[in-house]
């Protein structure tokens, strides 16, 4: 998998298979709402383990029962790459 930035067309095509994800500047973003704070923390921990396995780390934000995920590829000049799309797919598969 390459670190090359994706084109706008490639990003839009990828988003067509990523329900709930948004293209925000040079990032892919999505949030989830859980039944409570501990459920959001558990989800963040699960995402953290997934990211560690892939060696590609998104920014995670917890606000009580909400988990926000925002990903970009530093080695692609802080742009969206295939690594971000694959990470988004895996996180969606994990969290629904």
């Amino acid at each position: 998998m390459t670190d090359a930035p994706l084109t706008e067309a490639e990003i839009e095509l990828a988003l067509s298979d990523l329900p709930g994800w948004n293209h925000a500047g040079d990032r892919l973003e999505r949030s989830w709402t859980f039944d409570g704070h501990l459920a959001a923390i558990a989800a963040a921990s699960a995402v953290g383990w997934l990211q560690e396995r892939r060696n590609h780390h998104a920014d995670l934000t917890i606000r009580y029962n909400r988990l926000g995920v925002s990903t970009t590829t530093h080695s692609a000049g802080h742009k969206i790459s295939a690594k971000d799309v694959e990470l988004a797919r895996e996180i969606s598969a994990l969290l629904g």
Side-chain angles (χ1 to χ4, degrees):
M1 189 173 326
T2 178
D3 288 355
L6 298 179
T7 66
E8 292 294 319
E10 290 170 325
I11 293 167
E12 293 309 313
L13 180 62
L15 285 173
S16 69
D17 281 341
L18 290 168
W21 286 87
N22 298 303
H23 179 198
D26 291 327
R27 299 180 156 277
L28 294 181
E29 297 182 338
R30 183 171 175 191
S31 64
W32 287 263
T33 302
F34 298 93
D35 289 337
H37 182 67
L38 291 179
I41 294 290
S45 179
V47 169
W49 283 103
L50 186 155
Q51 294 179 132
E52 203 55 26
R53 263 196 340 264
R54 294 190 60 79
N55 194 29
H56 189 59
H57 304 86
D59 293 332
L60 306 179
T61 306
I62 298 170
R63 287 194 167 68
Y64 182 62
N65 66 337
R66 291 180 51 96
L67 170 63
V69 178
S70 178
T71 185
T72 190
T73 302
H74 302 281
S75 57
H78 298 275
K79 304 285 184 186
I80 297 168
S81 77
K83 286 183 175 181
D84 300 301
V85 173
E86 288 305 313
L87 182 62
R89 283 190 182 120
E90 288 195 34
I91 293 171
S92 289
L94 178 68
L95 300 181

